[in-house]
Amino acid sequence: MTWFRDLNVPESFGFLRNQVTPFSIRSSDGGALYAWHILPIELYRQHESALIEESSGFVPNLDSRTAFKLLRDDPEARLVIHMHGAAGTIGSDYRVPNYRALSAGDPRNMHVLTFDYRGFGLSRGAPSEKGLIIDAISVVEWAMNTAGIPPTRIMIFGQSVGTAVSLAVSEHFALQSPPLVFAGAVLVAPFSDVASLVATYRIAGTIPLLSPLARFPMFFRYLTTYIRDSWSSKDRIARYIQANEDNKVKYRLTLVHAEDDWDIPYHHTEVLFWHAVKAMIRQDISYDDFAHKKSQSMTDLGAAGTITEWKTQNGIVREEILKTCLHDVIMGNAVVTMAVMRIFANSKFSLD
């Protein structure tokens, strides 16, 4: 949580003076979204003198700021757009270590942009599925149109609920004409859809919320009619991949989950991977048959978990299941750093 700490003072969260620029991005329907632009550490070191001379705190106009110029004017700059989970703010809990993990693989070029959706932190409004998607699309458009970063130098990162937002954004741009596809996306601790999540969720990993009612399908289906936001990531991931395959554009997608995740069981990632592969092979293979095929190509890393990759001429979808790391601790894991590095390495190769 961010109790007694001011988001406009990022130094209180462990950052260097003006390593983080707090500012706002205008959502397309009018709301102001509170955001942080986080400089990679080596780039900060190279420009430390200029950065510490500037005033600190919230910045109403980025144009004159050194940090923004370092992002906008560098043709080698890479940008990770971070979409956080369902609780707290951009400064909460394990999110700060997550930002460091995202940029650790390229401390000269890897910038991070994170923001609070409407109704979170200092962003006003009431959250909803439609609203959060509008907000995220607006942030991506700011990155492309104001910061001037092309899609090939942007990676989308999401954790928990942020994975659903990330897939919605990726699908939105993939369906444009012409399509816009980013360097890739990394989804940590995703879920297949809200109804399935409710059916499997256990408080503190032990106390079932509604899962006992799932034994009564008709009654459970009735209850799910009261779910306002469905967040059907399993359908969005399929449509995203189908669009990319139809358009013959390169795409990279990594799913990461821990077996000991108490909040969202890792089976959700397995289901998403199944739906992704069905879209890649254009075949309605059953889950059991897919699990058998998957076991034949899976790499067992022992205590580090398992890795499975599925490839077509256009895309790569990678599933990484860790043995441990819980729901939040996983965000600071080296696996996240490697996922970002791998996606940008693949993106560079495809561009060359």
Coordinates of all heavy atoms in Angstrom, one line a residue, residues 21-52:
T21 N 9.2 10.8 -13.2 CA 8.5 12.0 -13.5 C 7.0 11.8 -13.3 O 6.4 11.0 -14.1 CB 8.7 12.5 -14.9 OG1 10.1 12.7 -15.1 CG2 8.0 13.9 -15.1
P22 N 6.4 12.3 -12.2 CA 4.9 12.2 -12.1 C 4.2 13.2 -13.0 O 4.6 14.4 -13.0 CB 4.7 12.5 -10.6 CG 6.0 12.6 -10.0 CD 7.0 13.0 -11.1
F23 N 3.2 12.8 -13.8 CA 2.5 13.7 -14.7 C 1.2 13.1 -15.0 O 0.8 12.0 -14.4 CB 3.3 13.9 -16.0 CG 3.4 12.7 -16.9 CD1 2.7 12.7 -18.1 CD2 4.2 11.6 -16.5 CE1 2.8 11.6 -18.9 CE2 4.2 10.5 -17.4 CZ 3.5 10.5 -18.6
S24 N 0.4 13.7 -15.8 CA -0.9 13.1 -16.2 C -1.1 13.0 -17.7 O -0.5 13.8 -18.4 CB -2.0 14.0 -15.6 OG -2.1 15.3 -16.1
I25 N -1.9 12.0 -18.0 CA -2.2 11.8 -19.4 C -3.8 11.9 -19.5 O -4.5 11.3 -18.7 CB -1.8 10.4 -19.9 CG1 -0.3 10.3 -19.8 CG2 -2.3 10.0 -21.3 CD1 0.3 8.9 -20.1
R26 N -4.2 12.6 -20.6 CA -5.7 12.8 -20.7 C -6.3 11.6 -21.4 O -5.9 11.2 -22.5 CB -5.9 14.0 -21.6 CG -7.4 14.4 -21.7 CD -8.0 14.9 -20.4 NE -7.3 16.0 -19.8 CZ -7.7 16.5 -18.7 NH1 -8.7 16.0 -18.0 NH2 -7.0 17.5 -18.2
S27 N -7.3 11.0 -20.7 CA -8.0 9.9 -21.3 C -8.9 10.4 -22.4 O -9.3 11.6 -22.4 CB -8.8 9.1 -20.3 OG -9.4 8.0 -20.8
S28 N -9.2 9.6 -23.4 CA -10.0 10.1 -24.6 C -11.4 10.5 -24.2 O -11.9 11.3 -25.0 CB -10.0 8.9 -25.6 OG -10.7 7.8 -25.1
D29 N -11.9 10.1 -23.1 CA -13.2 10.6 -22.7 C -13.1 11.7 -21.6 O -14.1 12.0 -21.0 CB -14.1 9.5 -22.2 CG -13.6 8.7 -21.0 OD1 -12.5 9.0 -20.6 OD2 -14.3 7.8 -20.5
G30 N -11.9 12.3 -21.5 CA -11.8 13.5 -20.7 C -11.1 13.4 -19.4 O -10.7 14.5 -18.8
G31 N -11.0 12.3 -18.8 CA -10.4 12.2 -17.4 C -8.9 12.3 -17.5 O -8.2 11.9 -18.5
A32 N -8.3 12.7 -16.4 CA -6.9 12.8 -16.2 C -6.3 11.6 -15.5 O -6.8 11.2 -14.4 CB -6.5 14.1 -15.4
L33 N -5.4 10.9 -16.1 CA -4.8 9.7 -15.6 C -3.4 10.0 -15.0 O -2.5 10.5 -15.7 CB -4.7 8.6 -16.7 CG -6.0 8.3 -17.5 CD1 -5.6 7.4 -18.7 CD2 -7.0 7.6 -16.5
Y34 N -3.3 9.6 -13.8 CA -2.0 9.9 -13.1 C -1.0 8.9 -13.5 O -1.3 7.7 -13.6 CB -2.2 9.8 -11.6 CG -1.0 10.2 -10.8 CD1 -0.7 11.5 -10.6 CD2 -0.1 9.2 -10.3 CE1 0.5 11.9 -9.8 CE2 1.0 9.6 -9.6 CZ 1.3 10.9 -9.4 OH 2.4 11.2 -8.7
A35 N 0.2 9.3 -13.8 CA 1.2 8.4 -14.4 C 2.6 8.7 -13.9 O 2.9 9.8 -13.4 CB 1.2 8.6 -15.9
W36 N 3.5 7.7 -14.0 CA 4.9 7.9 -13.7 C 5.7 7.5 -15.0 O 5.4 6.4 -15.6 CB 5.4 6.9 -12.6 CG 5.1 7.4 -11.2 CD1 4.6 8.6 -10.8 CD2 5.4 6.6 -10.0 NE1 4.5 8.6 -9.4 CE2 5.0 7.4 -8.9 CE3 6.0 5.4 -9.8 CZ2 5.2 7.0 -7.6 CZ3 6.1 4.9 -8.5 CH2 5.7 5.7 -7.4
H37 N 6.7 8.3 -15.4 CA 7.7 7.9 -16.3 C 9.0 7.6 -15.6 O 9.5 8.5 -14.9 CB 7.9 9.0 -17.4 CG 9.1 8.8 -18.2 ND1 9.9 9.8 -18.6 CD2 9.7 7.6 -18.7 CE1 11.0 9.3 -19.3 NE2 10.9 8.0 -19.4
I38 N 9.5 6.4 -15.7 CA 10.6 5.9 -14.9 C 11.8 5.7 -15.8 O 11.8 4.9 -16.8 CB 10.3 4.6 -14.2 CG1 9.0 4.8 -13.3 CG2 11.5 4.2 -13.3 CD1 8.4 3.5 -12.8
L39 N 12.9 6.4 -15.5 CA 14.1 6.4 -16.3 C 14.9 5.1 -16.0 O 15.0 4.7 -14.8 CB 15.0 7.6 -16.1 CG 14.6 8.9 -16.8 CD1 15.6 10.0 -16.3 CD2 14.7 8.8 -18.3
P40 N 15.5 4.4 -16.9 CA 16.4 3.3 -16.6 C 17.7 3.9 -15.9 O 18.1 5.0 -16.2 CB 16.7 2.7 -18.0 CG 16.5 3.8 -19.0 CD 15.4 4.7 -18.4
I41 N 18.2 3.0 -15.1 CA 19.2 3.5 -14.1 C 20.5 4.0 -14.8 O 21.1 5.0 -14.4 CB 19.5 2.4 -13.1 CG1 20.4 3.0 -11.9 CG2 20.2 1.2 -13.7 CD1 19.7 4.1 -11.1
E42 N 21.0 3.3 -15.8 CA 22.3 3.7 -16.5 C 22.0 5.1 -17.2 O 22.9 5.9 -17.2 CB 22.8 2.7 -17.4 CG 23.9 3.1 -18.3 CD 25.2 3.5 -17.6 OE1 25.3 3.2 -16.4 OE2 26.0 4.2 -18.2
L43 N 20.9 5.2 -17.9 CA 20.6 6.5 -18.5 C 20.5 7.6 -17.5 O 21.0 8.7 -17.8 CB 19.3 6.3 -19.3 CG 18.9 7.5 -20.2 CD1 19.9 7.8 -21.3 CD2 17.5 7.3 -20.7
Y44 N 19.9 7.3 -16.4 CA 19.9 8.3 -15.3 C 21.3 8.7 -14.9 O 21.6 9.9 -14.7 CB 19.2 7.8 -14.1 CG 19.1 8.7 -12.9 CD1 18.0 9.6 -12.8 CD2 20.1 8.8 -12.0 CE1 18.0 10.5 -11.7 CE2 20.1 9.7 -10.9 CZ 19.0 10.6 -10.8 OH 19.0 11.5 -9.8
R45 N 22.2 7.7 -14.7 CA 23.6 8.0 -14.3 C 24.3 9.0 -15.3 O 25.0 9.9 -14.9 CB 24.4 6.7 -14.2 CG 25.8 6.9 -13.6 CD 26.7 5.7 -13.9 NE 26.9 5.5 -15.3 CZ 27.8 6.1 -16.0 NH1 28.6 7.1 -15.5 NH2 28.0 5.8 -17.3
Q46 N 24.0 8.7 -16.6 CA 24.7 9.5 -17.6 C 24.2 11.0 -17.6 O 24.9 11.8 -18.0 CB 24.5 8.9 -19.0 CG 25.1 7.5 -19.2 CD 24.8 6.9 -20.5 OE1 24.1 7.5 -21.3 NE2 25.2 5.6 -20.7
H47 N 23.0 11.2 -17.1 CA 22.4 12.5 -17.2 C 22.1 13.0 -15.8 O 21.2 13.9 -15.6 CB 21.2 12.5 -18.1 CG 21.5 12.2 -19.5 ND1 21.9 13.1 -20.4 CD2 21.5 10.9 -20.1 CE1 22.1 12.4 -21.6 NE2 21.8 11.2 -21.4
E48 N 22.7 12.5 -14.7 CA 22.4 12.8 -13.4 C 22.4 14.3 -13.0 O 21.5 14.8 -12.4 CB 23.3 12.0 -12.4 CG 22.9 12.2 -10.9 CD 23.8 11.4 -10.0 OE1 24.9 10.8 -10.5 OE2 23.5 11.3 -8.8
S49 N 23.4 15.0 -13.5 CA 23.6 16.4 -13.1 C 22.4 17.2 -13.6 O 21.9 18.0 -12.9 CB 24.9 16.9 -13.7 OG 26.0 16.3 -13.1
A50 N 22.0 17.0 -14.9 CA 20.9 17.8 -15.4 C 19.6 17.4 -14.7 O 18.8 18.3 -14.5 CB 20.8 17.5 -16.9
L51 N 19.4 16.2 -14.4 CA 18.2 15.7 -13.8 C 18.0 16.3 -12.4 O 16.9 16.7 -12.0 CB 18.1 14.2 -13.7 CG 17.9 13.5 -15.1 CD1 18.3 12.0 -15.0 CD2 16.5 13.6 -15.5
I52 N 19.1 16.3 -11.6 CA 18.9 16.7 -10.2 C 18.8 18.2 -10.1 O 18.3 18.7 -9.0 CB 20.1 16.2 -9.3 CG1 21.4 16.8 -9.7 CG2 20.1 14.7 -9.3 CD1 22.6 16.4 -8.8

